[in-house]
Amino acid sequence: MSRNNGKWYRLHENPMNIPRMRFLFEGEEGRWEYENESGLHRFDFGIDLGTTKMSFSFTENKISVHMLKAAEWFLDEYSGFAGGALA
């Protein structure tokens, strides 16, 4: 993972409308940065300190993303699957 730390992934068209994303890791903390129709966003998180309904899989220069919303009437934009590769 360290060789891809901070590198942007370009995603194929997906239901979350996220064209690119990246992860930055330092120690036990991480940051997920992504861009969508409303602009650039960041989500800071701790490793093994919480639960999420998002799965990210890395294989060499490719990424797979699976998001499943847990809210009934909001967070609709965070539901679906996307695949992409290093930009």
Side-chain angles (χ1 to χ4, degrees):
M1 187 63 201
S2 62
R3 69 178 179 201
N4 296 337
N5 190 15
K7 294 183 179 177
W8 286 99
Y9 287 86
R10 291 207 183 280
L11 302 181
H12 304 293
E13 188 173 327
N14 61 81
M16 291 88 59
N17 293 318
I18 298 175
R20 67 183 193 136
M21 66 169 51
R22 71 177 175 173
F23 288 89
L24 299 107
F25 295 99
E26 187 172 330
E28 294 295 313
E29 297 180 352
R31 175 181 295 154
W32 172 43
E33 293 183 346
Y34 66 96
E35 187 175 5
N36 64 15
E37 295 170 344
S38 63
L40 185 62
H41 305 276
R42 76 182 225 192
F43 179 76
D44 296 317
F45 58 91
I47 308 298
D48 292 331
L49 298 176
T51 305
T52 184
K53 300 292 183 193
M54 298 178 191
S55 298
F56 304 94
S57 177
F58 302 90
T59 306
E60 299 199 12
N61 68 338
K62 297 180 182 173
I63 188 171
S64 296
V65 181
H66 181 242
M67 296 184 185
L68 182 63
K69 74 174 193 143
E72 292 181 21
W73 52 271
F74 58 96
L75 300 177
D76 291 332
E77 67 271 24
Y78 298 101
S79 186
F81 176 82
L86 283 173

